[in-house]
Amino acid sequence: QVQLVESGGGLVQAGGSLRLSCLASGGTFSSYTMGWFRQAPGKEREFVAARRWSGGITYYADSVKGRFTISKDNAKNTVYLQMNSLKPEDTAVYYCAAVRYSDISLRDRDYNYWGQGTQVTVSS
């Protein structure tokens, strides 16, 4: 059974950085697409970034392009989201998601494995 466990969230001042981690287990992830989504209070869950586990293709929401980077470490079975120049509007619960045998998708309904989420709070 595929499991995703996020970590690395916390409280940071505007302009600061955080790195989120998503430890993946229970599958052979070379054939998976991995995504990061976020949900702020009172808002719908929205796409942040995604990549194929194998290969270098990545995709970012316009709101985070140039500030966030999605990467992975094969040896650790971990996907990362490096977040720089954080803004108060980045405050949300961040979720890691995965789907097998799929091109990169921006739609959360296309992903069938989800982590429990990690809170990111950016103070002004």
Side-chain angles (χ1 to χ4, degrees):
Q1 181 71 7
V2 171
Q3 288 190 323
L4 306 174
V5 179
E6 303 99 333
S7 61
L11 173 64
V12 64
Q13 288 187 335
S17 298
L18 282 175
R19 188 178 76 162
L20 305 183
S21 300
C22 173
L23 175 61
S25 62
T28 304
F29 292 95
S30 58
S31 60
Y32 280 68
T33 289
M34 306 298 295
W36 285 97
F37 290 78
R38 67 187 182 186
Q39 188 167 20
K43 295 187 177 181
E44 293 186 353
R45 187 162 53 189
E46 65 174 0
F47 170 80
V48 175
R51 65 166 294 148
R52 292 282 298 162
W53 189 280
S54 297
I57 297 175
T58 58
Y59 199 87
Y60 298 93
D62 288 342
S63 59
V64 307
K65 203 171 294 183
R67 300 188 297 123
F68 291 12
T69 302
I70 185 171
S71 63
K72 51 93 176 181
D73 184 325
N74 288 331
K76 296 182 179 180
N77 251 26
T78 298
V79 175
Y80 302 100
L81 185 68
Q82 178 66 45
M83 306 185 295
N84 299 328
S85 302
L86 283 161
K87 304 175 181 180
E89 52 263 44
D90 294 318
T91 294
V93 177
Y94 283 71
Y95 297 92
C96 177
V99 58
R100 194 178 183 189
Y101 297 136
S102 173
D103 292 330
I104 290 177
S105 174
L106 280 60
R107 302 180 303 186
D108 58 358
R109 63 179 180 269
D110 290 335
Y111 292 79
N112 46 18
Y113 300 104
W114 291 85
Q116 82 287 354
T118 185
Q119 176 71 46
V120 171
T121 303
V122 184
S123 63
S124 57

